[in-house]
Amino acid sequence: MAQVQVQAQAQPPVSAANGGASNGGGNQFVSTSLYVGDLESNVTDSHLFDLFGQLGPVVSVRVCRDLSTRRSLGYGYVNYGNTQDAARALDMLNFTPLNGKPIRIMYSFRDPSIRRSGTANIFIKNLDKAIDNKALYDTFSTFGAILSCKIATDASGQSKGYGFVQFDNEESAKNATDKLNGMLLNDKQVYVGPFVRKQERESATNKTKFNNVYVKNLLESTTDEDLKNIFGEYGPITSAVVMQDGDGKSKCFGFVNFENADDAARSVEALNGKKFDDKEWYVGKAQKKTEREVELKGRFEQSLKEAVDKFQGLNLYVKNLDDSIADDKLRELFSEFGTITSCKVMRDPNGISRGSGFVAFSTAEEASRALADMNGKMVASKPLYVALAQRKEDRRARLQAQFSQMRPAAMAPSVGPRMSMYPPGAPGLGQQLFYGQGPPAIIPPQPGFGYQHQLVPGMRPGAAPMPNFFVPMVQPGQPNQRPGGRRSGTGPVQQTQQPLPLMQQQVCCTHMFRCSFIS
């Protein structure tokens, strides 16, 4: 286990190196929660607690695991009680070897928009394979506070020769780009520039100039010379070929390569869609298979979006349909509310109803009336669910937003005994609370992504349970009995204790012994 030497002096001020203010002001990115990545597969919660607990009281730790296999996903989270401890841990423990593998630490935020926005994010390529995360961090940290720093690696952990660095402000990212672009790192000239999303790169690629032209829908009799003669009118040609199969038969498409990209563009504009002997040619930029797939996928998604936008507020989603309801019956049910432009019951490949469908109206008013009247209506002994139809992405984003609002914020345990926040006897909330135990959340936490066990500061994960320090007062005349209706003698003993009023509950502390309920 890695050991960290911590001096017994006042906590250091938060600096740009450890994620603090870099420009003289407060840093909006300072947090008490840390993301710990690049974890070795055998690292557990206890390992994280032992390492990070050396720098301050740890509120909770969590190594994220696969729900089915319980294997580590290679990252986890550590929560401190204050920002100073978190900043110091980030500064002192980043890239510390844990189980022989350096860990990577950065601040963790519930809102992923900062990371996904690409703000102040730069891309570095042509890196020497010997440069790791720490070397990259040390190189760029001189320009400002770094939120995230990572070298892309393959399955074996070897560098792919490029990486990413995200600063906390655009000025730092611009300075790093200006100073380091074209510089030598380990005798290799590196490229440093703003990070560009994949979609933006693909759209930019579509606008680039090209020399090679693809032409299809040719006659079987069209030859290479015919292509040269036709396309040669627009500029010098380096090659022109009609593709053939193994038997020498024309595949009815070919390629023409120009010396000048402007000539290639003019030929596409002039010849695309032009007819030759009743054959309408398609002429365009020659593309790789991956480029064509991306373009076709983009067109398909755009057409879907346009269709959804066209029917926005007009299309209703209906589910919980009886298996006996077909398209005609569904149209009949909704026809009283207005003109129906389309109506469809969804079915599986075997033709069996999926229990859902769509009904589109000509106006939003008609759809609104149908929604108000038909939602919850009993049809064939089943209540219908009717709502406005949404795209899958929009529905997923809405559900994620609702889920994030429902999740209770993590609460750090107090340093002393606490009284119950809920009146005794309330449904599901009548249990007593003990030192180091937070009040029960309205929605109980579930194991999975983002779930973190709450710890008592100084308590190691997996250790024996803490002693309970809460002892309710016993009303005079009540027999002593443990919970669970333990019997004494031959006859059953009925529990007669009533919950005490909240203000009558008293607290006492013991040091070594476990205390039990007395009823």
Side-chain angles (χ1 to χ4, degrees):
M1 178 60 63
Q3 297 294 325
V4 179
Q5 298 297 327
V6 182
Q7 300 178 0
Q9 62 207 40
Q11 292 175 343
V14 181
S15 64
N18 60 26
S22 58
N23 297 319
N27 190 342
Q28 60 175 320
F29 299 110
V30 172
S31 170
T32 60
S33 182
L34 298 178
Y35 166 89
V36 188
D38 297 345
L39 293 178
E40 195 267 336
S41 59
N42 294 319
V43 171
T44 64
D45 295 0
S46 298
H47 291 136
L48 289 185
F49 182 87
D50 290 342
L51 178 61
F52 285 83
Q54 302 175 59
L55 297 176
V58 173
V59 175
S60 65
V61 295
R62 169 75 171 176
V63 173
C64 296
R65 300 182 179 276
D66 184 89
L67 289 177
S68 57
T69 65
R70 304 306 300 163
R71 292 180 180 176
S72 171
L73 297 177
Y75 65 92
Y77 298 91
V78 176
N79 288 329
Y80 283 97
N82 59 71
T83 58
Q84 289 81 8
D85 290 340
R88 184 165 56 168
L90 175 61
D91 187 35
M92 300 184 66
L93 297 181
N94 209 3
F95 310 113
T96 298
L98 184 59
N99 279 13
K101 184 177 180 181
I103 60 177
R104 185 170 56 89
I105 308 174
M106 63 183 185
Y107 284 115
S108 172
F109 303 97
R110 280 176 175 258
D111 183 7
S113 60
I114 298 173
R115 183 180 70 256
R116 295 175 181 172
S117 65
T119 303
N121 200 4
I122 59 177
F123 170 70
I124 307 99
K125 68 178 180 179
N126 200 32
L127 290 170
D128 186 82
K129 297 299 179 67
I131 295 179
D132 57 8
N133 291 323
K134 187 177 188 306
L136 190 67
Y137 184 94
D138 293 340
T139 302
F140 284 85
S141 61
T142 58
F143 298 94
I146 292 178
L147 298 181
S148 174
C149 175
K150 183 172 178 61
I151 294 286
T153 57
D154 57 20
S156 62
Q158 296 297 317
S159 170
K160 291 184 177 181
Y162 65 90
F164 307 89
V165 175
Q166 185 172 16
F167 290 91
D168 69 343
N169 62 79
E170 285 284 1
E171 183 180 355
S172 299
K174 187 177 185 304
N175 290 338
T177 302
D178 295 340
K179 298 291 177 61
L180 295 180
N181 185 33
M183 298 293 290
L184 294 178
L185 293 180
N186 283 15
D187 298 328
K188 293 188 69 173
Q189 187 177 23
V190 298
Y191 166 83
V192 181
F195 169 74
V196 181
R197 293 186 184 87
K198 182 178 179 180
Q199 298 87 340
E200 297 174 357
R201 294 198 304 271
E202 291 169 352
S203 62
T205 301
N206 294 335
K207 299 178 182 179
T208 57
K209 293 185 177 182
F210 57 92
N211 294 69
N212 201 11
V213 174
Y214 168 72
V215 53
K216 71 174 182 178
N217 207 23
L218 302 173
L219 290 172
E220 291 186 4
S221 59
T222 302
T223 63
D224 298 349
E225 289 299 325
D226 294 333
L227 290 185
K228 289 180 180 180
N229 294 334
I230 295 174
F231 284 88
E233 299 178 4
Y234 301 95
I237 293 175
T238 59
S239 66
V241 60
V242 175
M243 304 305 294
Q244 299 176 344
D245 58 19
D247 298 330
K249 185 178 180 180
S250 172
K251 293 184 177 180
C252 298
F253 70 89
F255 299 91
V256 179
N257 195 66
F258 286 85
E259 291 182 359
N260 190 295
D262 294 334
D263 296 339
R266 286 192 298 110
S267 71
V268 170
E269 184 177 354
L271 297 177
N272 185 36
K274 190 173 182 179
K275 286 188 176 182
F276 291 87
D277 295 331
D278 296 329
K279 286 280 190 175
E280 184 176 319
W281 280 10
Y282 168 82
V283 182
K285 171 189 172 184
Q287 295 175 306
K288 296 179 181 178
K289 182 179 179 180
T290 55
E291 293 177 341
R292 291 197 306 273
E293 291 174 347
V294 168
E295 182 177 348
L296 292 174
K297 181 180 178 181
R299 290 179 182 177
F300 177 71
E301 291 178 349
Q302 181 64 24
S303 63
L304 284 180
K305 186 177 183 300
E306 291 175 354
V308 171
D309 293 341
K310 179 181 178 181
F311 291 100
Q312 186 67 36
L314 307 178
N315 198 13
L316 297 180
Y317 169 69
V318 185
K319 72 175 182 178
N320 207 28
L321 294 172
D322 189 82
D323 292 344
S324 62
I325 296 179
D327 295 350
D328 295 340
K329 179 62 176 179
L330 186 62
R331 180 183 292 271
E332 179 183 342
L333 291 173
F334 285 84
S335 60
E336 62 179 287
F337 301 101
T339 304
I340 296 177
T341 58
S342 68
C343 180
K344 180 72 174 177
V345 173
M346 307 306 294
R347 300 183 179 277
D348 63 15
N350 296 323
I352 301 175
S353 172
R354 296 181 183 271
S356 63
F358 297 90
V359 179
F361 288 88
S362 59
T363 66
E365 292 77 11
E366 296 171 348
S368 297
R369 289 199 305 269
L371 173 60
D373 291 352
M374 295 298 291
N375 187 33
K377 183 176 180 179
M378 299 294 295
V379 176
S381 72
K382 298 179 71 174
L384 295 183
Y385 170 84
V386 184
L388 288 175
Q390 292 179 307
R391 297 178 65 218
K392 182 178 181 180
E393 294 79 5
D394 297 338
R395 186 171 65 254
R396 181 181 299 167
R398 179 175 60 83
L399 292 175
Q400 287 178 345
Q402 291 178 351
F403 177 74
S404 63
Q405 293 175 359
M406 292 169 60
R407 286 180 58 188
M411 297 182 62
S414 61
V415 297
R418 60 172 65 179
M419 302 292 289
S420 174
M421 296 174 59
Y422 304 94
L429 301 174
Q431 64 269 31
Q432 306 295 341
L433 301 177
F434 303 100
Y435 172 80
Q437 177 183 0
I442 300 302
I443 300 176
Q446 298 293 331
F449 177 76
Y451 169 71
Q452 299 175 355
H453 297 287
Q454 297 298 315
L455 303 177
V456 178
M459 176 180 174
R460 188 174 185 272
M466 292 288 291
N468 299 331
F469 293 107
F470 181 87
V471 180
M473 291 296 293
V474 181
Q475 294 181 349
Q478 286 184 328
N480 294 341
Q481 183 175 332
R482 292 184 177 273
R486 187 172 182 178
R487 300 188 178 188
S488 175
T490 57
V493 178
Q494 296 182 351
Q495 295 182 349
T496 59
Q497 179 183 355
Q498 299 297 325
L500 296 177
L502 180 62
M503 297 306 295
Q504 294 183 12
Q505 298 176 2
Q506 299 185 10
V507 179
C508 69
C509 288
T510 61
H511 293 284
M512 300 298 295
F513 300 99
R514 180 183 302 276
C515 297
S516 312
F517 283 117
I518 302 176
S519 58

PDB file of all heavy atoms in Angstrom, residues 311 314-316 339-343 358-362:
ATOM      1  N   PHE A 311     -44.439  16.018 -37.124  1.00  0.00           N
ATOM      2  CA  PHE A 311     -45.590  15.549 -36.356  1.00  0.00           C
ATOM      3  C   PHE A 311     -45.498  15.947 -34.876  1.00  0.00           C
ATOM      4  O   PHE A 311     -46.187  15.360 -34.051  1.00  0.00           O
ATOM      5  CB  PHE A 311     -45.705  14.023 -36.464  1.00  0.00           C
ATOM      6  CG  PHE A 311     -46.098  13.538 -37.830  1.00  0.00           C
ATOM      7  CD1 PHE A 311     -45.148  13.052 -38.708  1.00  0.00           C
ATOM      8  CD2 PHE A 311     -47.421  13.572 -38.237  1.00  0.00           C
ATOM      9  CE1 PHE A 311     -45.504  12.607 -39.968  1.00  0.00           C
ATOM     10  CE2 PHE A 311     -47.792  13.124 -39.490  1.00  0.00           C
ATOM     11  CZ  PHE A 311     -46.836  12.640 -40.359  1.00  0.00           C
ATOM     12  N   LEU A 314     -48.589  16.357 -32.779  1.00  0.00           N
ATOM     13  CA  LEU A 314     -49.698  15.745 -33.522  1.00  0.00           C
ATOM     14  C   LEU A 314     -49.754  14.237 -33.322  1.00  0.00           C
ATOM     15  O   LEU A 314     -50.809  13.632 -33.490  1.00  0.00           O
ATOM     16  CB  LEU A 314     -49.556  16.040 -35.018  1.00  0.00           C
ATOM     17  CG  LEU A 314     -49.379  17.501 -35.435  1.00  0.00           C
ATOM     18  CD1 LEU A 314     -49.213  17.583 -36.949  1.00  0.00           C
ATOM     19  CD2 LEU A 314     -50.567  18.340 -34.981  1.00  0.00           C
ATOM     20  N   ASN A 315     -48.609  13.636 -33.005  1.00  0.00           N
ATOM     21  CA  ASN A 315     -48.502  12.185 -32.944  1.00  0.00           C
ATOM     22  C   ASN A 315     -48.628  11.710 -31.494  1.00  0.00           C
ATOM     23  O   ASN A 315     -47.943  12.203 -30.600  1.00  0.00           O
ATOM     24  CB  ASN A 315     -47.163  11.742 -33.534  1.00  0.00           C
ATOM     25  CG  ASN A 315     -47.159  10.268 -33.892  1.00  0.00           C
ATOM     26  OD1 ASN A 315     -48.198   9.624 -33.921  1.00  0.00           O
ATOM     27  ND2 ASN A 315     -45.978   9.734 -34.146  1.00  0.00           N
ATOM     28  N   LEU A 316     -49.498  10.741 -31.261  1.00  0.00           N
ATOM     29  CA  LEU A 316     -49.719  10.195 -29.927  1.00  0.00           C
ATOM     30  C   LEU A 316     -49.182   8.773 -29.853  1.00  0.00           C
ATOM     31  O   LEU A 316     -49.317   7.993 -30.805  1.00  0.00           O
ATOM     32  CB  LEU A 316     -51.218  10.181 -29.582  1.00  0.00           C
ATOM     33  CG  LEU A 316     -51.927  11.529 -29.509  1.00  0.00           C
ATOM     34  CD1 LEU A 316     -53.395  11.321 -29.156  1.00  0.00           C
ATOM     35  CD2 LEU A 316     -51.261  12.454 -28.503  1.00  0.00           C
ATOM     36  N   THR A 339     -59.415  14.357 -37.566  1.00  0.00           N
ATOM     37  CA  THR A 339     -58.904  13.668 -38.744  1.00  0.00           C
ATOM     38  C   THR A 339     -57.591  12.967 -38.428  1.00  0.00           C
ATOM     39  O   THR A 339     -56.623  13.594 -37.979  1.00  0.00           O
ATOM     40  CB  THR A 339     -58.678  14.666 -39.888  1.00  0.00           C
ATOM     41  OG1 THR A 339     -59.899  15.361 -40.152  1.00  0.00           O
ATOM     42  CG2 THR A 339     -58.213  13.959 -41.143  1.00  0.00           C
ATOM     43  N   ILE A 340     -57.552  11.666 -38.654  1.00  0.00           N
ATOM     44  CA  ILE A 340     -56.363  10.860 -38.380  1.00  0.00           C
ATOM     45  C   ILE A 340     -55.569  10.708 -39.667  1.00  0.00           C
ATOM     46  O   ILE A 340     -56.086  10.233 -40.681  1.00  0.00           O
ATOM     47  CB  ILE A 340     -56.752   9.481 -37.822  1.00  0.00           C
ATOM     48  CG1 ILE A 340     -57.442   9.636 -36.459  1.00  0.00           C
ATOM     49  CG2 ILE A 340     -55.514   8.591 -37.691  1.00  0.00           C
ATOM     50  CD1 ILE A 340     -57.925   8.328 -35.867  1.00  0.00           C
ATOM     51  N   THR A 341     -54.293  11.143 -39.631  1.00  0.00           N
ATOM     52  CA  THR A 341     -53.433  11.045 -40.816  1.00  0.00           C
ATOM     53  C   THR A 341     -52.694   9.717 -40.884  1.00  0.00           C
ATOM     54  O   THR A 341     -52.332   9.265 -41.973  1.00  0.00           O
ATOM     55  CB  THR A 341     -52.414  12.190 -40.830  1.00  0.00           C
ATOM     56  OG1 THR A 341     -51.627  12.146 -39.628  1.00  0.00           O
ATOM     57  CG2 THR A 341     -53.126  13.534 -40.905  1.00  0.00           C
ATOM     58  N   SER A 342     -52.449   9.085 -39.759  1.00  0.00           N
ATOM     59  CA  SER A 342     -51.822   7.764 -39.757  1.00  0.00           C
ATOM     60  C   SER A 342     -52.155   7.059 -38.450  1.00  0.00           C
ATOM     61  O   SER A 342     -52.361   7.692 -37.414  1.00  0.00           O
ATOM     62  CB  SER A 342     -50.297   7.855 -39.918  1.00  0.00           C
ATOM     63  OG  SER A 342     -49.704   8.444 -38.784  1.00  0.00           O
ATOM     64  N   CYS A 343     -52.202   5.723 -38.530  1.00  0.00           N
ATOM     65  CA  CYS A 343     -52.568   4.925 -37.359  1.00  0.00           C
ATOM     66  C   CYS A 343     -51.904   3.556 -37.505  1.00  0.00           C
ATOM     67  O   CYS A 343     -52.052   2.896 -38.546  1.00  0.00           O
ATOM     68  CB  CYS A 343     -54.086   4.788 -37.280  1.00  0.00           C
ATOM     69  SG  CYS A 343     -54.664   3.823 -35.874  1.00  0.00           S
ATOM     70  N   PHE A 358     -49.238   3.983 -32.553  1.00  0.00           N
ATOM     71  CA  PHE A 358     -49.169   5.430 -32.744  1.00  0.00           C
ATOM     72  C   PHE A 358     -50.400   5.895 -33.520  1.00  0.00           C
ATOM     73  O   PHE A 358     -50.869   5.211 -34.438  1.00  0.00           O
ATOM     74  CB  PHE A 358     -47.901   5.822 -33.506  1.00  0.00           C
ATOM     75  CG  PHE A 358     -46.632   5.491 -32.776  1.00  0.00           C
ATOM     76  CD1 PHE A 358     -46.014   4.258 -32.958  1.00  0.00           C
ATOM     77  CD2 PHE A 358     -46.055   6.392 -31.902  1.00  0.00           C
ATOM     78  CE1 PHE A 358     -44.848   3.942 -32.282  1.00  0.00           C
ATOM     79  CE2 PHE A 358     -44.892   6.091 -31.221  1.00  0.00           C
ATOM     80  CZ  PHE A 358     -44.295   4.858 -31.416  1.00  0.00           C
ATOM     81  N   VAL A 359     -50.879   7.071 -33.126  1.00  0.00           N
ATOM     82  CA  VAL A 359     -52.002   7.702 -33.824  1.00  0.00           C
ATOM     83  C   VAL A 359     -51.627   9.154 -34.069  1.00  0.00           C
ATOM     84  O   VAL A 359     -51.318   9.887 -33.117  1.00  0.00           O
ATOM     85  CB  VAL A 359     -53.298   7.628 -32.998  1.00  0.00           C
ATOM     86  CG1 VAL A 359     -54.441   8.308 -33.752  1.00  0.00           C
ATOM     87  CG2 VAL A 359     -53.656   6.183 -32.681  1.00  0.00           C
ATOM     88  N   ALA A 360     -51.644   9.586 -35.339  1.00  0.00           N
ATOM     89  CA  ALA A 360     -51.293  10.954 -35.696  1.00  0.00           C
ATOM     90  C   ALA A 360     -52.529  11.696 -36.188  1.00  0.00           C
ATOM     91  O   ALA A 360     -53.293  11.168 -37.021  1.00  0.00           O
ATOM     92  CB  ALA A 360     -50.205  10.973 -36.766  1.00  0.00           C
ATOM     93  N   PHE A 361     -52.719  12.920 -35.679  1.00  0.00           N
ATOM     94  CA  PHE A 361     -53.850  13.755 -36.068  1.00  0.00           C
ATOM     95  C   PHE A 361     -53.384  14.883 -36.982  1.00  0.00           C
ATOM     96  O   PHE A 361     -52.185  15.155 -37.113  1.00  0.00           O
ATOM     97  CB  PHE A 361     -54.532  14.333 -34.829  1.00  0.00           C
ATOM     98  CG  PHE A 361     -55.319  13.319 -34.032  1.00  0.00           C
ATOM     99  CD1 PHE A 361     -54.702  12.563 -33.043  1.00  0.00           C
ATOM    100  CD2 PHE A 361     -56.665  13.113 -34.284  1.00  0.00           C
ATOM    101  CE1 PHE A 361     -55.410  11.628 -32.315  1.00  0.00           C
ATOM    102  CE2 PHE A 361     -57.386  12.173 -33.564  1.00  0.00           C
ATOM    103  CZ  PHE A 361     -56.758  11.429 -32.577  1.00  0.00           C
ATOM    104  N   SER A 362     -54.363  15.546 -37.585  1.00  0.00           N
ATOM    105  CA  SER A 362     -54.037  16.635 -38.508  1.00  0.00           C
ATOM    106  C   SER A 362     -53.715  17.939 -37.790  1.00  0.00           C
ATOM    107  O   SER A 362     -53.007  18.782 -38.337  1.00  0.00           O
ATOM    108  CB  SER A 362     -55.196  16.858 -39.489  1.00  0.00           C
ATOM    109  OG  SER A 362     -56.391  17.180 -38.767  1.00  0.00           O
TER     110      SER A 362
END
